[in-house]
Amino acid sequence: MTTAFAPGLDATHDPLSRCWVDSANAADTDFPIQNLPWGQFRADTTSPWRIGVAIGDAVLDVQATGLLDHADMARVLSAPAPARRALRRALWQGLQWGAPEQTAWPSALWPQQAVQLGLPCEVGDFTDFYTGIHHATAVGAMFRPQQPLLPNYKWVPIGYHGRASSVLPSGQGFHRPWGQTLPAGAAAPVFGPSQRLDYELELAGWVGTGNTLGQPIDLAQAHEHLAGITLLNDWSARDIQAWEYQPLGPFLSKSFASTVSPWLVTPDALAPFRCAPAARVPGDPVPLAYLLSAQDQALGSWDIQLEVWLQTAAMQAKGHPGQRLSTSSLRDAYWTLAQLLTHHTVGGCNLRTGDVLGTGTLSGSRPGQAGSLLELTHGGQQPLVLDNGETRRFLEDGDTVTLRGHCERSGARRIGFGPCSATVLSARSGPVP
Ligand code: MN
């Protein structure tokens, strides 16, 4: 029996493939047998982290299957792409309905609800880019109505070095940050809890195989260095940011917390959803040669649909699951992840396993597609009226923000990312230095 698959696809993408874990066959699951994202889990806070893949509403303990003899996620992700691909394929084979493993592997399953999910991998360095051109244009217009986008934007992927130590797993709350802010019209700053706390809807590329110092990653090889993609919420204190950001960029306004989803969705799982990045508009410059390839222009993006949900404390108290605030897509990015990987290394910088590259806030071009409250409320000037009558200019204590993402197209099985969620806790009392 032979089946023809489109270029880049194989039996692991077959939409008809079924799993002996029943919940993986549900139409709306994020984790069918075609996904198999990597994550770290543990039974309780005193147990060591283990390597798992999400399958339906369960986690498969990969070490318990015998396919791995260690629990070192960085070691798994640092392997060359063909080895990572082979491991995914072995998992797919064992999880298929009727596979011999159907009798042995069930003992390696844990209910996702019963375990703690951690970061997908220990975070190396964290770089955040600014590829969401609609976000960059909308925010730029607030500060520079005459020139929303600076002249470099369409030539060079803009980014800054973020903070890895405060990248948090989904589900971990964080305290509203304290900092310096400059009240309107004031001559001197004040010190206190941020009053303009915001979220940012982003995706994050995680580095698998690194590169040697001084040896840049060629654009054509970039995806081979990508271990996978998660959702990323780059929490931002807008009042602290406005006062501190010039001339070197954001600092404490971003470094207090960033939340990532627990499951690393691999480029292999995403293969059916490759697509062209949004076309550059007429008059845009052609990227410099090191950032330009026909392959990247044709298939350098993935059709990943994104959503932001807000559940206020009042909603939670009434058992209300929250309200969707906006939707957008990775196709709203001006630069591809391959271009970001290549640009990051072009001067010689070495990327290492576990490094995280944020896309920047992904906002669409239309109202209702803004990836931050800064845009949805026009800098806090037009409060958002929620379905239950509450209003928001920026986040309040007790608010839970959840990002979601999925891929869907005819002829392929829908896959998802799982939620990226965290609750804003009240500012700690009196951290005055
Ligand atoms: Mn950001």
Side-chain angles (χ1 to χ4, degrees):
M1 187 179 73
T2 58
T3 311
F5 295 100
L9 303 189
D10 58 32
T12 69
H13 304 105
D14 185 344
L16 300 178
S17 179
R18 290 178 69 78
C19 181
W20 47 261
V21 180
D22 280 343
S23 58
N25 300 318
D28 61 347
T29 182
D30 278 352
F31 310 116
I33 191 172
Q34 292 83 356
N35 193 348
L36 306 178
W38 298 107
Q40 296 192 105
F41 75 100
R42 58 186 180 184
D44 53 63
T45 53
T46 61
S47 304
W49 292 105
R50 301 185 68 81
I51 294 175
V53 295
I55 183 73
D57 57 16
V59 184
L60 180 71
D61 180 335
V62 182
Q63 215 178 326
T65 67
L67 290 173
L68 283 179
D69 60 2
H70 63 84
D72 182 352
M73 184 66 94
R75 195 170 141 196
V76 171
L77 302 183
S78 66
R84 283 181 266 133
R85 201 166 290 138
L87 185 52
R88 174 174 178 276
R89 182 162 184 120
L91 287 160
W92 173 82
Q93 273 175 341
L95 284 165
Q96 271 194 101
W97 179 265
E101 290 81 358
Q102 189 163 349
T103 50
W105 283 11
S107 61
L109 289 176
W110 294 72
Q112 277 183 39
Q113 297 250 347
V115 299
Q116 185 188 358
L117 300 174
L119 294 166
C121 181
E122 188 181 347
V123 180
D125 281 300
F126 173 33
T127 303
D128 199 23
F129 285 92
Y130 199 51
T131 71
I133 189 169
H134 305 300
H135 170 78
T137 304
V139 173
M142 293 178 200
F143 297 102
R144 299 175 304 273
Q146 309 307 320
Q147 191 183 34
L149 284 184
L150 292 171
N152 57 4
Y153 188 86
K154 294 181 174 180
W155 291 99
V156 60
I158 305 296
Y160 70 97
H161 291 292
R163 188 74 199 161
S165 61
S166 51
V167 175
L168 309 176
S170 180
Q172 181 174 338
F174 64 91
H175 293 276
R176 177 180 297 275
W178 289 68
Q180 281 196 32
T181 63
L182 186 69
V190 297
F191 181 70
S194 170
Q195 301 300 309
R196 291 163 68 92
L197 183 61
D198 201 356
Y199 57 80
E200 290 191 337
L201 170 60
E202 305 194 20
L203 287 165
W206 291 65
V207 175
T209 322
N211 64 299
T212 304
L213 183 70
Q215 294 184 13
I217 296 172
D218 189 86
L219 191 59
Q221 298 301 316
H223 283 183
E224 299 292 286
H225 291 264
L226 183 66
I229 295 176
T230 64
L231 299 162
L232 164 67
N233 187 339
D234 181 30
W235 305 96
S236 301
R238 301 301 182 192
D239 42 1
I240 299 171
Q241 184 179 358
W243 170 235
E244 74 173 7
Y245 87 103
Q246 288 178 319
L248 287 182
F251 183 41
L252 304 185
S253 57
K254 302 274 192 173
S255 62
F256 56 94
S258 312
T259 304
V260 295
S261 51
W263 298 111
L264 195 56
V265 178
T266 64
D268 298 314
L270 290 164
F273 308 100
R274 291 183 74 171
C275 64
R280 296 191 158 212
V281 299
D284 279 6
V286 175
L288 296 183
Y290 76 95
L291 292 173
L292 182 64
S293 80
Q295 171 81 354
D296 191 56
Q297 294 292 301
L299 289 169
S301 188
W302 293 273
D303 190 4
I304 302 175
Q305 302 301 315
L306 302 168
E307 302 179 348
V308 180
W309 291 71
L310 172 66
Q311 184 194 47
T312 67
M315 292 176 185
Q316 192 195 25
K318 290 191 169 173
H320 186 300
Q323 176 179 342
R324 192 173 73 183
L325 298 186
S326 61
T327 61
S328 69
S329 158
L330 177 60
R331 294 197 70 214
D332 294 313
Y334 194 73
W335 300 98
T336 65
L337 270 177
Q339 287 172 319
L340 301 185
L341 282 155
T342 292
H343 181 69
H344 207 309
T345 61
V346 75
C349 175
N350 51 325
L351 292 174
R352 295 181 292 196
T353 304
D355 286 357
V356 173
L357 277 58
T359 55
T361 308
L362 294 169
S363 299
S365 59
R366 295 194 297 277
Q369 295 184 326
S372 68
L373 283 175
L374 183 68
E375 295 156 86
L376 284 176
T377 67
H378 300 269
Q381 292 178 33
Q382 298 172 20
L384 200 63
V385 181
L386 304 175
D387 292 346
N388 69 353
E390 289 184 275
T391 60
R392 285 292 181 277
R393 294 172 193 273
F394 290 96
L395 295 171
E396 297 191 2
D397 295 348
D399 283 353
T400 299
V401 177
T402 301
L403 312 183
R404 297 182 183 281
H406 75 275
C407 299
E408 195 167 25
R409 74 162 177 79
S410 63
R413 187 68 158 84
R414 176 196 186 280
I415 63 170
F417 285 73
C420 176
S421 189
T423 301
V424 177
L425 309 176
S426 58
R428 290 183 192 277
S429 55
V432 180

